[in-house]
Amino acid sequence: MSSITELIWFAAELAVYVAVGYWGLGRSTRLRRLGAMVGGIALFATVWGLFCAPQATYPLVGAVKVAVEAVWFAAGAVAFVTRYAPRLLVLRGGGPAPRNSDDPPVGLPATGDARSSSE
């Protein structure tokens, strides 16, 4: 492989680690955030180091290697999207789902609200 190709693969690998770490920031408590960030990155690094790295302990070949790499990169993309999706919904005009069936959708007044009865 050329050095440019290796550099692109390395940058993509680092992007997956950043996405998994960013996903970990979405956890509720400080301890969960730390555990998800460190644990997620460690899990992804272990899988990559064992099976996909150029100097892998158990190198895969052919279609199996392509499949593992595809799943690995897709999981990184899913981690990023699941962390970033709520922001996309708000920017698009949507919002979080109602907490229970009695709550009105975000942005609409409640049934007994003074604003809705004045019309």
Side-chain angles (χ1 to χ4, degrees), residues 1-116:
M1 257 200 259
S2 71
S3 60
I4 298 296
T5 306
E6 290 176 2
L7 182 64
I8 291 171
W9 274 101
F10 183 65
E13 181 184 351
L14 290 180
V16 169
Y17 295 135
V18 168
V20 171
Y22 185 61
W23 170 81
L25 286 174
R27 305 305 96 201
S28 58
T29 64
R30 185 176 297 157
L31 186 59
R32 286 183 182 165
R33 280 192 294 265
L34 181 65
M37 286 175 61
V38 172
I41 292 171
L43 176 68
F44 272 69
T46 300
V47 169
W48 187 264
L50 286 175
F51 303 113
C52 300
Q55 311 289 314
T57 307
Y58 305 103
L60 301 174
V61 293
V64 176
K65 182 174 182 176
V66 171
V68 170
E69 287 176 349
V71 168
W72 193 84
F73 282 108
V78 167
F80 179 75
V81 168
T82 57
R83 174 68 172 107
Y84 198 68
R87 290 185 182 178
L88 292 176
L89 286 174
V90 170
L91 290 176
R92 207 175 56 163
R99 294 183 182 226
N100 62 43
S101 60
D102 297 334
D103 291 343
V106 175
L108 296 178
T111 312
D113 195 2
R115 291 179 283 167
S116 63

